[in-house]
Amino acid sequence: MPISRLVTAAWNEKPPDSAEHQVRKTVAKLRRLIPYGPDTIVTDGPGYRAVVDTGQLDLLRYQRLLRQARESSDAGEADRAAARLREALALWRGPVLSGSGGRVVDAASTALEEQRLTAAEQLYDLCMEAGEASEITGELRTLVDEHPLRETLRSRLMLALYHSGQQAAALSEFARARDHLADELGIDPGIELTDLHERILRQDPALSRRERSASRARHSATEAPHALPFDVPDFSGRTSELKWIRDAAGHAPEGSPTVLAIDGMGGGGKTALAIHAAHQMAEQYPCGRLFVDLHGFTPGQTPLSAFHAQGDLLAAVGIPSSEIPVVPAGRAALWQSYMHGRRMLLVLDNAAASDQVRALIPASSDSLVLITSRPRLTGLDGAEWLTVGALPEPDSHQLLRTTLGAERVEREPEAARELVRLCGGLPLAVRIAAARLANRPRWTVQRLVDRLRDHERRLDELASEGRGVAGALLLSYQSMPQEQRTAFRLLGHHPGRYLDADEAAALLDTDPMTAENVLEELVDVRLLEAREPGAYALHDLVRSFVHRVAQSQKAPEDAQAVRRLLDHYLHRAENACDVLFPGRRRFGDTGEDARGHRYADKEAALQWLDQHRDSLLLAVDAAYDRGLFWHAARLPRELGFHSSIRGYDAQANAALEKGVSASRKLGDRPLTRLNLMNLAMGKWRLGQLREAVARLEEAVDLSQLMADAHSEAECKARLGQAYNSLGELDRALRLSEEANLAAQELGFTRLDGSSLSTLSLIQVRLGRFEEAADSAERAVAIFDSIQEIQLSVDALSNLSQAIEGLGRYDEALARADAALERCRRMSMPSVLPLVLARRTDVLVCMGLLEEAASSATHALAEATRCTDDIHRATVHLSAGRALYAHGDLSAARAQQLLAYEIACRMELRHDEASALWDLARTADAQGDRHAARKHRAAAGRLFSLMGVQETAR
């Protein structure tokens, strides 16, 4: 692709003078960003070339499949051509190159869309010639809804409906096309569509689909059985599963049967998948297609034995009942004799166990056997297994469109998306929800969504005409032995969706290995999903079901199971935080188990907290609601510490609020003080400074009331941090100095370092750079001595700022880079934007403007993803300085105004003054002397109130 073409694509006819340079710069950045970039994007003469093979690019695979389809069609191989077209179209993932790309990109996108629609029309022509009109009406209707003005698509939908015996529906489609064309373009349908409409009206014999080939005609004249159930026309999704079935059947060795076993939870659409696949491959099995429901999990039915199933199958192939042996050995022999040498397709649906189907598998034939079951039939030697999970959200959404109707779904797109999510990708749930809405035309989709949000009622809502998700799950539950049912019920007290063997061991009062065996048994019956070794998940609807079981079948051991789980969470979380935050004070005694588990390193501790965060948050709610206030008061502290790294303070603060309430209910002052302080810091990170100060002052009062010097020093240090953010620098300085002196006297090493770090930032703001550098260096040394990484990031950033104030820019950049390395090592999204902003400021001072701009852009992007607000104004200020240095004054002013608005809203007095100071400088550069004087005067007043020296402004 020559650079001139890329320039045209990006800017049309009005490229800037720097266009070629910008293209080269962007390509260089792309090479850095993508894996093996320099080998993938190579310079070729006057431009660039992407080096990819057919297997790496779906467009190339798509075009190859279209060529193969054309070649097969030319050779008269209609089935092969249709298969290639369907495989090509399956690669489609939505509009190509969509967006505001300019004329060149739009033209390419339009050409590819036209190519795709043409291929789809060719496929549907082949399908109708093959007598498969009813199978494609759903797909055609979806495409017509997406392209209502394309008359060639509409004509194929009309033909498909007509060939499916739906003459009225075909005529109705013409009326819809006529109305739409009149409304949108003010024209009538074209000659081709109008002619087709007239021919359908008079039932023109020439419209009859082409007779199948002679081989098919001969086949239909035989007595080969065709006993497959109806294939639902609105079947959606399962593209990869269908491909797996087709590929597995295609690679089967000659002379032996292919056995494919499909397992999954009840309501997952296994039967629909098997039937749909069977219909797609039916013509490959000319000796017949058979189906039998084995009633493995059918309400009120005893599972069908192999003996009775053989009888049903022999009757289905036309053998009179008088000729079917009543002795098991004789019946089995007749079944195998019949199947010998025949190429047939068998669907053995709803099996309960391997023994039920083993005798039904042909001993010697080229037949395909599709088996569906809830548990995995591991006793079937030679079988290939496929587990059917939840439908992906796009496929679930398509299923809702086809079952409920596109118009109703498009009327409430957000509600429809949430409905699909609440159904958890379970086809049965989506179909029942659609049926309920179809039966209640006055209901909005949102109304059903509101009803499904009630976790306790969700299963009741997903029931219709005697079928429902709860009933499907109940059959799996009832099929288990009593011991397994008890274990499943106890797991219903787990607060979250994901669990591991250790959590299960706590609930079941056993060891992790035994608990893992129990969990694997639940995986086998598809009431649990295996994620990775030792880790499991409950489907949302299974979770609702198990909670219902746990509530309806309460037992004396339940309360102890919940306590054991909460103890487990507290022990593991405290130990993890002790590893991550060395030098923090232990609070109380959590028993022997607290010393029983040790994490290998910080990474392992952080990984455990990351994996269990949601369960820990829910555990606080569960403990509080059950009146287990000691656990509800203890757990939130660990969440607050974890949130200081991972930045989910809104959720952690909700837990801490409950922690404060639980502590007060217990009358426990030390716990109340602890939760108040941690809640205050969570609110500080969110920029809720006045609320943070109020809770810290209450915590200080409690500490003094208890004569707890450690707690008082800790709370004063945090209060100094909050007052620094509010711009009350004298008070912040005094509190931080008092906290630091107390920490040294008490030997509280961690607090010694953190109070020094805060003190250094206050000293920087006051312009006392030498003192600030000394304080920050001491803080870094303390943190390094106890291997505390998180707090050392702040200390290094403050040290960088102090050294910058002294004019030692190379050293300042080195400290900022060290802070960035540690921040990335711990993956701290709440602090990363601030560290990048710190680096940006030093780079601006050094005149490295390109690197400064890149750092500022990165900081802004990270700030957008971050939930914490306390550093957001600082990030915008740094971005403004980088833009100002580049000479982009308008963009710089926009960033400065954003910083000013945030600082005013949060009462960040120093950031407010800094924003005004920078706005004055930008106004001066723009020639707006009046605005510059106004901003500078306002900034000066604020700086004077805070005691900030001229040299620090």
Side-chain angles (χ1 to χ4, degrees), residues 489-490 493 506-507 554-567 626 628 631:
R489 177 178 57 76
L490 286 174
H493 294 291
L507 279 167
K554 291 181 180 179
E557 63 265 27
D558 291 4
Q560 286 304 313
V562 172
R563 285 181 181 274
R564 286 194 302 270
L565 180 64
L566 293 173
D567 285 342
R626 290 171 179 267
L628 300 173
H631 294 90

Side-chain angles (χ1 to χ4, degrees), residues 46 236 288 302 440 471 473 535 582 609 704 706 844:
S236 297
T302 302
R440 294 163 177 79
L473 296 174
L609 287 167
Q704 292 171 344
M706 296 183 293
V844 169

